[in-house]
Amino acid sequence: MNKTLALALLGSSFFSFSALAVSPQIPAQQQKQVAGFYQYQAGDVQITALLDGTNFMSPALFKDISQKQVLEILKKYYADQAKGVQTSINAFLVNTGKSLVLVDSGAASCFGPHLGSIMKNLIASGYKPEQVDTILLTHLHPDHVCGISKDGVANFPNATVYVSQDEVDYWLKPDQVKKLPKEKQDGYLNTVKMIQQAVAPYQAKQRFKTYKLGDEIQGFKVINTTGHTPGHFSYELKTKDETVVFIGDIVHSHTVQFDQPTTAIEYDIDPKQAVQTRLKQFANFAKNGQTIAAPHLPFPGIGHIYSADGKSYQWVPIHFKD
């Protein structure tokens, strides 16, 4: 070998090794995500999606489908099967220019420390809790209502809370528990206790109100989507450029229940009606192209519903905009 070339290669090798040897130490991988909010402009309305956290559900919670089928669907979507079926818990802050409306409020601490980030994400997004004047609840399950208060104090002191009269009748009438099978009464009463604690500060200030189908609140039209609970309602908001529907819990999984929309979930109080509602609304959304805001689809939970055959559906998330 040419002596000059050999020295050059040796020098090159030495230089590369030295460069590696003196490289700064790589820092430890970071474990915390960025703040969980995403702002979406729908015409003249700004929607801020707020992440409360993520949860995992057992495949056994899905009805009329085998656990094997559930796992096959998860595999098809490249979803992590080890922990179960992932679901987001989202809420939506809507700035209409005239009102600041919160649709659902997250679970807060009702289901453990892995949830409860709505308040900090709302503040991180540039808003303040006291600026919220209206809270629309799709229904009174704890993962939608617990976030409105903490330790007996309203988290949104200037807001009025709205929920359907049918929902209040089911959860907050003392004699309702007697109508349930005995094996379901304890679970019902535990849920009622969480609901009562959440709404109490608003009731004390006469800021807890009910509505009926056909009513409109701050420009939001009430839509009948019963089944998941007896008084479950969704909200339609028409903006300058598009129609947005805040669908509540007509769906819990972007994998299982889009692939197999006739699949109910254990949390549905009337599973048959819940499936009928999902099929009707999915067909409507796929045909007419409304923008969907969903509390249990992957954060930010805003997108569209597509179907090629009218039997199975696909969740199409919005494209990121800066």
Side-chain angles (χ1 to χ4, degrees):
M1 180 183 291
N2 182 284
K3 185 176 181 181
T4 303
L5 177 59
L7 288 172
L9 289 173
L10 179 61
S12 174
S13 300
F14 180 78
F15 176 81
S16 299
F17 176 80
S18 299
L20 289 172
V22 298
S23 294
Q25 185 177 0
I26 298 173
Q29 293 182 7
Q30 300 301 301
Q31 300 302 316
K32 291 185 177 181
Q33 272 289 12
V34 297
F37 72 88
Y38 180 81
Q39 291 174 323
Y40 176 77
Q41 196 70 30
D44 50 351
V45 170
Q46 184 187 62
I47 301 171
T48 303
L50 302 169
L51 177 65
D52 200 46
T54 56
N55 208 7
F56 291 89
M57 302 177 293
S58 167
L61 292 172
F62 292 90
K63 302 299 183 182
D64 301 318
I65 187 172
S66 69
Q67 292 192 45
K68 181 182 178 182
Q69 284 178 285
V70 172
L71 293 177
E72 286 173 350
I73 293 170
L74 294 179
K75 184 178 180 181
K76 183 169 70 174
Y77 282 90
Y78 293 90
D80 184 354
Q81 302 175 52
K83 295 180 181 179
V85 182
Q86 185 176 13
T87 183
S88 263
I89 297 179
N90 311 315
F92 301 93
L93 188 66
V94 186
N95 187 340
T96 68
K98 298 178 181 179
S99 187
L100 193 60
V101 181
L102 181 66
V103 183
D104 289 327
S105 68
S109 59
C110 281
F111 292 141
H114 63 296
L115 302 173
S117 296
I118 293 292
M119 288 293 287
K120 73 175 184 181
N121 286 325
L122 184 149
I123 293 168
S125 75
Y127 290 102
K128 298 177 181 179
E130 56 268 27
Q131 293 174 316
V132 176
D133 56 72
T134 304
I135 299 173
L136 300 179
L137 299 175
T138 55
H139 60 300
L140 288 175
H141 273 160
D143 56 326
H144 296 258
V145 68
C146 281
I148 66 175
S149 63
K150 182 179 181 181
D151 300 328
V153 178
N155 283 336
F156 305 94
N158 299 316
T160 299
V161 177
Y162 293 87
V163 70
S164 76
Q165 183 63 53
D166 291 340
E167 193 74 353
V168 170
D169 290 345
Y170 182 81
W171 294 108
L172 298 179
K173 279 194 172 181
D175 59 345
Q176 177 62 33
V177 66
K178 299 175 185 177
K179 301 176 183 179
L180 301 176
K182 284 194 174 182
E183 65 271 16
K184 293 189 175 183
Q185 290 183 4
D186 286 346
Y188 170 86
L189 290 173
N190 287 335
T191 299
V192 167
K193 183 178 179 181
M194 288 187 278
I195 295 169
Q196 289 173 330
Q197 290 174 343
V199 304
Y202 298 88
Q203 290 175 319
K205 295 183 178 181
Q206 287 76 52
R207 288 182 173 271
F208 184 76
K209 299 184 181 296
T210 61
Y211 58 75
K212 294 181 179 179
L213 185 64
D215 288 352
E216 189 171 292
I217 306 146
Q218 303 289 16
F220 290 75
K221 179 183 176 182
V222 175
I223 300 174
N224 183 1
T225 50
T226 56
H228 178 61
T229 65
H232 183 286
F233 286 81
S234 301
Y235 303 101
E236 179 184 87
L237 180 65
K238 291 187 176 180
T239 75
K240 184 179 68 173
D241 298 329
E242 61 192 282
T243 297
V244 184
V245 185
F246 300 83
I247 65 171
D249 284 13
I250 70 171
V251 62
H252 286 80
S253 169
H254 77 289
T255 53
V256 179
Q257 289 178 308
F258 275 82
D259 196 279
Q260 298 292 326
T262 58
T263 301
I265 194 169
E266 180 68 29
Y267 309 130
D268 292 332
I269 292 173
D270 185 342
K272 184 177 179 180
Q273 180 61 46
V275 168
Q276 290 176 351
T277 291
R278 179 163 48 256
L279 293 175
K280 177 183 176 181
Q281 295 300 330
F282 272 21
N284 171 28
F285 301 146
K287 178 182 178 181
N288 297 309
Q290 299 96 320
T291 300
I292 304 304
H296 293 310
L297 297 184
F299 181 78
I302 301 174
H304 296 88
I305 292 175
Y306 169 79
S307 178
D309 56 11
K311 296 179 181 179
S312 64
Y313 292 85
Q314 183 178 344
W315 173 242
V316 184
I318 52 169
H319 291 221
F320 179 83
K321 296 178 182 179
D322 61 14

